């Protein structure tokens, strides 16, 4: 996987009591915890594995508004501000740079989609615009892609995933919060119909609120509590190059590749046009809910039947508080890399920008993404269980909005004025 930054030592043991428990030490959970502790609210983050070891540390590092659903853009705008403020806030660099993001295409249909998106977000003052082939050549010189055009948002950017997770974790601990790694939460305890604590593999912690920011694991955790959340997995294979001279500082997404400059001087690259879709028993349970998106993105997923199906089939969906859970049996999900997809990405990129002929692949990894039927997250209170707040289902684009998504979850947990309107993220839409 993407090499982790040096992590701070986690809290040695669990407390008997706190005010808010955050389940999951990814970018969203850590951002929620940071917001809470800065407001003087005691918080404990519980992580079944290691800080930022799953999708929060394996993603592409894009901080993007471009092509997001219009209702999701305000959260991304709020995140831009928080990313820019982060060094002063936590005293550390997360690698954030507002270097812009450009999507390019050879398709008239895709250009129409970009035009429609620009119209839909015209009131949000993003500074985004359509680019001509000449504009693309000026912004990203040395190309031979024969592009019809593209869409460019200069205020988009990037950050370094593992660096950001480690920096936020250090800040949470430095400001008085607690983070306990290798401590899975098995279930929630309740009193008078409300959350009263969490039951972990090490014992119980009393609390008033729980924020669930457990990514791919959230559906299974909630299912054991009798709460329905529809998500299915996708796997993204990624590679990074050794340091090299590249065409530009702007991140670029093409039909079958994407690249962005890294702080270490290399590039993070993926096959943007296809993801692996490992079949699981949940596809039989939820498949009909995903038909519209599958039709719209035909060919974008590579469906396969492999070890994930058997693993999911044998993995418990119900358990008692004194039983070992799936979260303890698999501390960190580490999917296999698809070398063919990475090779496709490199071949397409080298053809479009020949400067990448000199690229030397330094490492490759894969991450598993939790995708909702509409590809937007759930950030909401749970009416059926007061005291539980969800911040999950980010569908592969949660890193960029992570600081704002975590703050929104903290707002909902404390009845604070929300950073953005939470209506687009309601659980009830499913």
């Amino acid at each position: 996987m993407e090499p982790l930054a040096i992590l701070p030592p986690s809290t040695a043991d669990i407390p008997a009591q706190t005010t808010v428990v955050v389940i999951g030490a990814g970018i969203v959970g850590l951002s929620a915890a940071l917001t809470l502790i800065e407001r003087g609210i005691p918080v404990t983050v519980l992580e079944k594995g290691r800080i930022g070891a799953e999708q929060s540390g394996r993603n592409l590092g894009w901080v993007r508004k471009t092509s997001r659903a219009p209702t999701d853009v305000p959260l991304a705008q709020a995140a831009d501000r928080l990313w820019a403020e982060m060094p002063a806030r936590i005293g550390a660099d997360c690698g954030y740079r507002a270097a812009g993001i450009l999507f390019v295409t050879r398709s008239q249909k895709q250009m129409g989609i970009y035009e429609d998106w620009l119209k839909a977000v015209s009131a949000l003052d993003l500074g985004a615009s359509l680019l001509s082939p000449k504009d693309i050549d000026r912004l990203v010189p040395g190309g031979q892609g024969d592009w019809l055009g593209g869409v460019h948002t200069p205020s988009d950017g990037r950050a370094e995933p593992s660096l950001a997770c480690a920096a936020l974790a250090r800040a949470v601990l430095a400001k008085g919060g607690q983070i306990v790694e290798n401590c899975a939460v098995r279930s929630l305890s309740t009193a008078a119909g409300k959350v009263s604590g969490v039951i972990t593999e090490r014992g119980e912690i009393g609390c008033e609120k729980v924020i669930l920011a457990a990514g791919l694991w959230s559906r299974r955790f909630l299912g054991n509590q009798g709460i329905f959340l529809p998500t299915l997995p996708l796997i993204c294979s990624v590679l990074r190059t050794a340091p090299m001279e590249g065409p530009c500082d702007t991140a670029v997404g093409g039909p079958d590749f994407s690249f962005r400059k890294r702080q270490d001087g290399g590039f993070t690259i993926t096959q943007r046009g296809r993801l692996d879709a490992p079949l699981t028993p949940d596809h039989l349970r939820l498949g009909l809910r995903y038909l519209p998106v599958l039709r719209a993105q035909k060919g974008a997923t590579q469906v396969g039947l492999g070890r994930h199906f058997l693993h999911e089939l044998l993995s418990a969906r119900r358990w008692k508080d004194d039983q070992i859970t799936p979260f303890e049996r698999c501390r960190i999900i580490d999917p296999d890399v698809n070398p063919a997809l990475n090779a496709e990405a490199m071949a397409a990129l080298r053809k479009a920008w020949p400067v990448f002929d000199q690229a030397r692949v330094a490492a490759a990894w894969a991450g598993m993404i939790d995708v909702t039927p509409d590809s937007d997250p759930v950030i909401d209170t749970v009416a059926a269980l007061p005291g539980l707040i969800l911040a999950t289902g980010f569908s592969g684009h949660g890193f960029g909005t992570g600081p704002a998504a975590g703050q929104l979850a903290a707002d909902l947990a404390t009845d604070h004025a929300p950073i953005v309107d939470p209506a687009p993220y309601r659980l009830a839409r499913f």
Side-chain angles (χ1 to χ4, degrees):
M1 62 167 289
E2 169 78 310
L4 286 172
I6 297 174
L7 297 172
S10 66
T11 307
D13 211 346
I14 64 170
Q17 187 78 31
T18 189
T19 301
V20 180
V21 165
V22 176
I23 303 175
I27 190 74
V28 176
L30 292 170
S31 296
L34 181 63
T35 300
L36 291 165
I37 202 68
E38 287 175 338
R39 292 175 181 172
I41 299 169
V43 60
T44 298
V45 181
L46 300 176
E47 169 55 53
K48 63 177 175 52
R50 300 223 60 199
I51 294 164
E54 293 187 319
Q55 194 55 20
S56 287
R58 297 167 184 255
N59 65 86
L60 304 179
W62 290 35
V63 179
R64 172 179 63 85
K65 299 177 291 296
T66 309
S67 291
R68 283 187 183 271
T71 53
D72 195 34
V73 171
L75 188 70
Q77 289 179 295
D80 283 352
R81 173 177 57 80
L82 293 174
W83 277 117
E85 295 171 354
M86 200 65 74
R89 182 180 180 187
I90 66 174
D93 180 20
C94 294
Y96 173 70
R97 303 290 184 272
I101 289 177
L102 166 68
F103 289 116
V104 294
T105 184
R106 303 180 185 95
S107 162
Q108 188 62 59
K109 179 180 178 182
Q110 188 62 47
M111 285 300 295
I113 292 172
Y114 293 152
E115 290 172 3
D116 291 343
W117 178 78
L118 284 172
K119 291 175 184 175
V121 299
S122 60
L124 298 177
D125 193 27
L126 302 184
S129 62
L130 296 178
L131 297 192
S132 69
K134 289 185 179 180
D135 295 329
I136 294 170
D137 288 340
R138 281 194 293 268
L139 184 64
V140 194
Q144 296 181 6
D146 192 25
W147 306 113
L148 180 63
V151 61
H152 177 227
T153 307
S155 61
D156 281 347
R158 63 177 189 263
E160 298 299 334
S162 62
L163 186 66
C165 289
L168 263 65
R170 289 191 198 95
V172 170
L173 293 169
K175 292 172 184 280
Q178 296 179 307
I179 302 173
V180 186
E181 294 181 302
N182 295 306
C183 183
V185 178
R186 292 177 171 177
S187 67
L188 305 176
S189 52
T190 60
K194 299 180 179 180
V195 168
S196 61
V198 297
I199 298 168
T200 81
E201 61 181 297
R202 301 190 199 176
E204 185 169 356
I205 304 174
C207 65
E208 298 173 14
K209 301 288 178 67
V210 171
I211 295 174
L212 180 65
L216 186 74
W217 300 93
S218 298
R219 171 172 163 77
R220 192 171 295 268
F221 182 87
L222 291 172
N224 188 55
Q225 299 290 150
I227 299 167
F228 175 72
L229 173 71
T231 58
L232 288 176
L234 289 175
I235 298 174
C236 181
S237 291
V238 189
L239 63 88
R240 65 178 175 90
T241 74
M244 58 171 284
E245 291 298 321
C248 65
D249 207 32
T250 299
V252 178
D256 46 11
F257 67 84
S258 76
F259 65 87
R260 66 99 176 163
K261 189 73 172 178
R262 298 170 54 88
Q263 195 173 56
D264 61 14
F267 285 82
T268 296
I269 296 167
T270 192
Q271 213 293 32
R272 182 170 169 263
R274 285 200 293 159
L275 297 170
D276 283 310
L279 286 177
T280 68
D282 272 346
H283 283 79
L284 302 177
R285 302 180 181 101
L286 302 174
L288 289 176
R289 294 173 178 266
Y290 288 80
L291 284 180
V293 70
L294 287 173
R295 291 193 186 102
Q297 299 180 2
K298 187 177 180 181
T301 53
Q302 188 165 289
V303 179
L305 181 62
R307 63 186 177 93
H308 294 288
F309 189 93
L310 183 60
H311 177 268
E312 289 291 307
L313 188 64
L314 297 177
S315 188
R317 291 188 171 272
R318 293 287 189 274
W319 53 86
K320 296 180 181 179
D321 295 343
D322 60 353
Q323 293 179 318
I324 295 175
T325 67
F327 320 122
E328 295 150 80
R329 297 187 188 280
C330 180
R331 299 283 179 180
I332 298 171
I333 192 163
D334 189 17
D336 294 333
V337 176
N338 187 328
L341 291 184
N342 280 349
E344 287 177 12
M346 284 304 301
L349 179 53
R350 285 168 170 154
K351 186 175 180 181
W353 273 279
V355 67
F356 284 97
D357 284 340
Q358 67 177 297
R360 180 174 63 84
V361 176
W365 66 91
M368 190 167 281
I369 301 164
D370 55 326
V371 180
T372 64
D374 61 7
S375 295
D376 280 339
V378 174
I379 311 172
D380 196 10
T381 57
V382 178
L385 190 51
L388 175 60
I389 298 91
L390 307 184
T392 192
F394 285 89
S395 304
H397 47 83
F399 177 76
T401 56
Q407 181 166 326
L408 179 57
D411 293 340
L412 296 175
T414 55
D415 297 322
H416 197 277
I419 187 171
V420 297
D421 182 3
Y425 309 113
R426 297 297 191 201
L427 176 62
R429 73 185 193 271
F430 299 127

